[in-house]
Amino acid sequence: MTTAREIMTEGADCIGADEPVLRAAQKMTEMGVGALPICGTDDKLKGVLTDRDIVVKVLGAGKDPATTTAGELAQGEAVTIGADDDAAEIMRTMSEHKVRRLPVIDGHRLVGMVAQADVARALPDPQVGDLLEALSTD
């Protein structure tokens, strides 16, 4: 049974909830990623900030990325997956919540991220096709 721990990208780096979106964009560029977990001062996960969030919710809305904080874009409780959850649970969670990236939690600690691409590399083609179809439909 393939687990999140086995297919995740380890060492997910957070953007602080009080840090500006501009810094998040710079960090994404430096790291070559399209999403960053948002962590609060209490070291708890507040959400996930994507490059699309920056474009649509900040730039497209006429907000200043230098003064808008990452925490302002965190919405509700973050959708996560446990480090020891299996591939079926990863796919169910991604499909149900229509997300392409999941923070991986071990206890209360963020240990990595599982992206749609990680799932595609790790699972048989028919399962990946089902996931892609689920994420592509509204």
Side-chain angles (χ1 to χ4, degrees):
M1 166 176 42
T2 304
T3 65
R5 187 184 310 277
E6 294 170 324
I7 65 172
M8 72 181 186
T9 300
E10 290 186 54
D13 200 5
C14 285
I15 187 73
D18 58 347
E19 290 187 78
V21 170
L22 180 59
R23 177 64 193 128
Q26 293 165 337
K27 210 169 189 178
M28 286 181 195
T29 301
E30 292 163 7
M31 297 171 64
V33 298
L36 286 174
I38 303 169
C39 295
T41 54
D42 58 0
D43 217 20
K44 293 195 184 210
L45 186 65
K46 302 298 182 192
V48 175
L49 178 66
T50 67
D51 47 9
R52 187 175 194 289
D53 291 332
I54 294 170
V55 171
V56 174
K57 296 176 183 175
V58 179
L59 301 177
K63 295 181 180 177
D64 182 356
T67 59
T68 303
T69 65
E72 290 175 52
L73 301 181
Q75 297 178 343
E77 191 170 321
V79 177
T80 63
I81 195 81
D84 296 317
D85 287 347
D86 65 18
E89 182 65 13
I90 295 168
M91 290 181 34
R92 185 197 65 73
T93 303
M94 284 182 163
S95 298
E96 182 179 313
H97 295 280
K98 301 273 191 203
V99 295
R100 289 172 167 75
R101 301 168 181 102
L102 287 172
V104 180
I105 305 295
D106 190 0
H108 294 289
R109 196 172 55 96
L110 178 69
V111 293
M113 292 281 281
V114 171
Q116 181 179 342
D118 298 321
V119 174
R121 282 190 295 271
L123 300 179
D125 287 343
Q127 289 179 309
V128 173
D130 291 345
L131 175 62
L132 293 175
E133 183 178 340
L135 292 177
S136 298
T137 58
D138 290 328

